[in-house]
Amino acid sequence: MKDVDTTLTNLLCFNAYSLHRAFGRYYQAAFGETGLTYPKFVILMVLDASGPLTVSEVSARAGVEPNTLSPLLKKMASFDLITRTRAQEDERRVVLEIADKGRTVLERARGVVLQGFAALGLDPIAVEQAVTFMQEAREAVEAADPPRLNLDDLT
């Protein structure tokens, strides 16, 4: 196997993690004191694109665990950004839908985000290639069966 530079700054996982944190700070600054956060923004985008979905469907599409989503969804519903209703065919399931206020907030947030990204000066072609690469990398990692660290082998 070819030697790979495993210094922290050369690891794909570290750079993805660092970028994730940088985006979190970026969105926090962009959304200011509105109470909108990146996870809420993602949920609104998922519901806007897909229509009514169950909690588990939103969880899968947003990449957030259902137990992490539940308190967030309750808060969003209390601010009238989404509606939460019990499914008629199975009352154990909660169906989520973006509300009119949520759609308005999302539209304004998208405008702020697009304006901000334009100011970053990133090459649109490079961004498109990076997005494609990140999607491919995520799919490969999710499908992988990684080797396991075994501390018993240490002597």
Side-chain angles (χ1 to χ4, degrees):
M1 179 175 155
K2 181 181 173 189
D3 286 340
V4 176
D5 184 355
T6 58
T7 55
L8 190 59
T9 57
N10 288 325
L11 293 176
L12 176 61
C13 55
F14 177 75
N15 282 284
Y17 172 76
S18 297
L19 180 60
H20 170 74
R21 292 188 41 91
F23 271 125
R25 290 186 301 273
Y26 179 86
Y27 278 95
Q28 185 177 18
F31 297 151
E33 301 297 319
T34 65
L36 187 63
T37 61
Y38 180 71
K40 291 176 188 174
F41 178 69
V42 169
I43 291 165
L44 290 175
M45 288 189 62
V46 166
L47 291 173
D48 186 54
S50 303
L53 297 170
T54 64
V55 173
S56 60
E57 290 168 331
V58 170
S59 170
R61 292 177 191 205
V64 180
E65 294 299 321
N67 60 345
T68 303
L69 262 185
S70 292
L72 193 58
L73 296 171
K74 287 177 185 175
K75 187 174 279 191
M76 291 176 74
S78 74
F79 288 110
D80 299 322
L81 299 176
I82 63 170
T83 59
R84 300 170 71 237
T85 55
R86 298 277 173 195
Q88 291 180 350
E89 66 279 358
D90 182 354
E91 290 194 6
R92 294 173 295 177
R93 294 177 41 195
V94 175
V95 177
L96 309 167
E97 190 168 3
I98 190 168
D100 289 340
K101 182 177 177 182
R103 199 168 269 110
T104 300
V105 167
L106 177 60
E107 183 179 316
R108 291 182 183 171
R110 278 183 175 147
V112 167
V113 168
L114 289 174
Q115 180 184 6
F117 280 153
L120 292 176
L122 298 173
D123 176 15
I125 294 171
V127 170
E128 185 177 329
Q129 291 170 338
V131 168
T132 298
F133 172 77
M134 296 294 279
Q135 290 169 338
E136 291 170 356
R138 186 190 70 244
E139 289 169 5
V141 170
E142 288 174 346
D145 182 19
R148 306 297 193 268
L149 177 64
N150 184 350
L151 296 179
D152 294 336
D153 293 342
L154 299 177
T155 53

